[in-house]
Amino acid sequence: MKEFDTICAIATPIGEGGVSIIRISGENALKIASKIFAPRNKYDIESMKTYTMKYGNIVDLENKKEIIDEVILSYMKAPRSYTGENVVEINCHGGVISTNSVLDQVIKAGARLAEPGEFTKRAFLNGRIDLSQAEAVMDIITAKTELSMKAAMIQSKGALSKEINELRGYLLNVLALIEYAVDFTEDDEDIVDDNLILQIKDGIENTNSKIETLLSNADAGKIVRDGLNIVIVGKPNVGKSSLLNALLRENRAIVTDVPGTTRDIIEEYINLDGIPVKITDTAGIRDTEDVVEKIGVEKSKEKIEEADLIILMLDASRYMDEEDSRIINKIKNRKYIVLLNKMDLKDIKIQEEILKNLSNIINISAKTGQGIDILKDEVKKLFFNGEISSESLIISNARHKQALYKSLENCKMALDKINANEYLDLISIYITAAMKALGEITGDELEEDLLNKIFSEFCVGK
């Protein structure tokens, strides 16, 4: 275990609530707490047993008679704690004043205010968890749906670490075979045994196959973790805001018969069978002289460029015109779904010959709800092949995905060199690079600057 100073931070959200928790971690955690904690039964808390709690008061460090708050103090002894160090947690009343007052006394008693993510960083540096598990902790905190929560929990339990260690084992065996083959050719100028070469190739091919399997769900994993960005576009008055209200099941956007009612961007989140989806209702795209509406139209065009999926709404009760065609040309090379709205009306005028050049067309009525479930199924089909698994490991972190691709690229280069009968010494360079890339995921191979950047994105109390 590494030696660090003792740190502290508020581990619960700031605000009014029943309880707040101040976490203290470090060798002197119990000693610092003893300076400001007055137990009701005169107990010496420095002799506390691990996983026990004591009731008492936090008092002013200088004036012991001044009670700051009534608290419960819990203790977890190293190394069986979250950070792997001695950890004390003070459960005080949940309020801004009471919580900050207790924290102030902890700092005065000798603890340092923790940096963002420093508790989890210490857990990693002390070897209690690896880097992929540490990152999963933040994913659990920021999970937007039950599915993203489950995916993060699977990773936090070490599922990804196990896969990476297995891959590194394959490559380590390949390196051992190469080393043996190189030594063999130094002693004997005969050609290396073909069976040895086959074993090397087999080890690399197994690694490639396993990495490709992990990467197969990486795009879906990113969506599970970060959410799917859907933008609703179309001319004014085609029913974009009505669709948003139908998906949210509440009247979030103002709906009128006046074209140009929506002038700004409206963004809301929905849970689509476990997928966190950000839906953006945009201003109707058209030529306009209205200054405010014109700004809204420009924002709509910007949102189209940022979208994972574009929903184009067309009014089935109207003939398509030049403005519709311009919008279609803008999105036709992107992933899109076309909704023919107002299909509940009897007079359908939209031209079928124009629609022949479009795909993923769904008939809906935002007013009655017709076709909304079909739209949701189509979204799942486009991004998850219609199914979303909550039990299997999902690669959801962009850093992990990049490292896996780097490793796969080096493995493929090594395989190409073997097939071209290149020197085995050269091939070992690619295998070593592939192992290093995999080590970046678990933190076995990582520069300090990147490590600090990863943990700086955590909340202070974690």
Side-chain angles (χ1 to χ4, degrees):
M1 196 177 80
K2 295 182 180 293
E3 291 185 8
F4 297 109
D5 56 350
T6 301
I7 56 172
C8 65
I10 300 167
T12 46
I14 294 292
E16 295 181 359
V19 176
S20 283
I21 297 175
I22 288 91
R23 178 178 288 158
I24 312 168
S25 180
E27 185 180 353
N28 297 320
L30 206 54
K31 186 177 181 180
I32 287 170
S34 69
K35 294 179 182 179
I36 56 172
F37 179 70
R40 285 296 176 91
N41 58 0
K42 308 297 182 182
Y43 181 84
D44 179 12
I45 69 164
E46 287 196 60
S47 61
M48 272 182 77
K49 293 181 179 178
T50 187
Y51 304 125
T52 60
M53 305 176 80
K54 293 296 176 185
Y55 168 63
N57 295 317
I58 294 295
V59 296
D60 185 86
L61 180 66
E62 296 169 357
N63 181 7
K64 300 294 185 181
K65 292 183 180 180
E66 184 182 341
I67 295 174
I68 304 299
D69 197 8
E70 188 179 28
V71 303
I72 292 175
L73 185 143
S74 57
Y75 174 53
M76 289 140 279
K77 188 177 181 180
R80 297 182 181 278
S81 69
Y82 179 73
T83 60
E85 305 172 326
N86 292 335
V87 171
V88 171
E89 290 187 349
I90 301 172
N91 293 253
C92 64
H93 287 97
V96 176
I97 302 300
S98 58
T99 305
N100 282 320
S101 297
V102 173
L103 180 64
D104 286 344
Q105 293 305 316
V106 174
I107 294 170
K108 286 178 182 178
R112 169 176 65 79
L113 193 63
E115 296 173 358
E118 192 168 0
F119 291 101
T120 307
K121 185 178 181 181
R122 289 191 177 194
F124 164 67
L125 292 174
N126 287 327
R128 203 188 68 77
I129 55 176
D130 68 26
L131 190 56
S132 69
Q133 290 174 290
E135 288 171 299
V137 171
M138 198 60 203
D139 290 345
I140 290 170
I141 294 169
T142 58
K144 298 179 179 69
T145 65
E146 187 179 344
L147 179 63
S148 53
M149 173 75 174
K150 282 184 177 179
M153 283 297 294
I154 289 171
Q155 186 175 313
S156 74
K157 297 298 182 185
L160 178 58
S161 312
K162 183 181 176 184
E163 296 286 346
I164 297 305
N165 289 333
E166 189 176 332
L167 287 169
R168 295 191 83 193
Y170 288 159
L171 295 179
L172 191 61
N173 186 54
V174 168
L175 280 178
L177 289 169
I178 290 174
E179 187 69 27
Y180 173 78
V182 170
D183 289 344
F184 177 79
T185 53
E186 284 179 357
D187 297 334
D188 191 335
E189 293 184 0
D190 291 340
I191 299 172
V192 178
D193 184 8
D194 288 342
N195 186 48
L196 196 61
I197 295 296
L198 286 173
Q199 287 182 61
I200 293 170
K201 287 174 70 173
D202 188 53
I204 299 172
E205 285 169 353
N206 283 341
T207 306
N208 287 356
S209 176
K210 194 102 175 176
I211 292 175
E212 285 169 349
T213 300
L214 286 172
L215 285 169
S216 64
N217 62 15
D219 291 337
K222 183 180 182 300
I223 292 168
V224 168
R225 181 177 186 254
D226 300 329
L228 183 64
N229 186 7
I230 297 179
V231 174
I232 308 169
V233 299
K235 289 193 312 184
N237 242 33
V238 294
K240 298 185 298 298
S241 296
S242 297
L243 175 64
L244 177 67
N245 291 341
L247 290 168
L248 294 173
R249 296 181 181 177
E250 63 174 271
N251 293 325
R252 172 65 178 84
I254 299 171
V255 177
T256 72
D257 293 329
V258 180
T261 300
T262 303
R263 296 186 169 204
D264 202 356
I265 303 299
I266 300 175
E267 294 180 339
E268 289 289 343
Y269 276 94
I270 66 166
N271 183 340
L272 180 58
D273 290 349
I275 311 167
V277 178
K278 182 175 78 172
I279 300 182
T280 304
D281 178 21
T282 62
I285 298 175
R286 65 169 178 173
D287 293 327
T288 177
E289 298 302 318
D290 187 294
V291 177
V292 178
E293 189 180 353
K294 190 178 287 187
I295 294 170
V297 171
E298 288 305 312
K299 282 187 178 181
S300 299
K301 292 176 180 177
E302 289 174 10
K303 288 294 178 181
I304 289 174
E305 299 303 318
E306 299 170 3
D308 296 312
L309 175 67
I310 299 164
I311 293 179
L312 170 62
M313 291 202 73
L314 300 174
D315 187 344
S317 67
R318 293 191 233 166
Y319 293 110
M320 286 179 64
D321 56 24
E322 207 172 301
E323 284 181 342
D324 289 311
S325 298
R326 279 204 297 269
I327 299 170
I328 289 170
N329 288 331
K330 194 167 185 63
I331 71 159
K332 66 182 180 182
N333 294 323
R334 305 289 302 279
K335 193 168 281 190
Y336 68 84
I337 294 174
V338 177
L339 301 184
L340 300 185
N341 191 27
K342 305 183 183 179
M343 292 300 287
D344 53 311
L345 301 178
K346 293 180 180 179
D347 190 15
I348 303 301
K349 296 177 180 177
I350 198 162
Q351 306 96 310
E352 288 188 14
E353 63 272 13
I354 297 177
L355 298 177
K356 287 178 181 177
N357 297 321
L358 297 171
S359 58
N360 293 334
I361 300 173
I362 301 172
N363 295 337
I364 74 156
S365 168
K367 184 178 180 181
T368 66
Q370 172 195 339
I372 298 296
D373 288 338
I374 298 172
L375 168 62
K376 292 178 179 179
D377 289 339
E378 187 63 27
V379 172
K380 287 188 287 182
K381 193 184 298 180
L382 282 172
F383 291 92
F384 296 91
N385 297 320
E387 293 183 5
I388 309 167
S389 173
S390 62
E391 303 302 325
S392 58
L393 173 65
I394 300 174
I395 301 299
S396 59
N397 189 305
R399 191 183 71 81
H400 300 169
K401 180 181 175 182
Q402 184 181 2
L404 285 168
Y405 271 120
K406 194 192 299 183
S407 182
L408 182 63
E409 183 183 354
N410 278 289
C411 285
K412 286 182 174 179
M413 288 291 288
L415 208 53
D416 289 342
K417 298 296 181 185
I418 288 176
N419 291 329
N421 294 317
E422 295 276 0
Y423 288 111
L424 290 176
D425 304 62
L426 178 62
I427 293 160
S428 69
I429 295 172
Y430 293 105
I431 299 300
T432 303
M435 281 188 68
K436 185 177 180 181
L438 293 173
E440 291 176 3
I441 295 174
T442 53
D444 294 312
E445 301 274 355
L446 204 64
E447 294 179 2
E448 189 176 352
D449 288 346
L450 181 55
L451 192 66
N452 291 335
K453 182 180 182 301
I454 289 168
F455 286 104
S456 69
E457 296 170 359
F458 279 49
C459 53
V460 172
K462 203 63 181 177

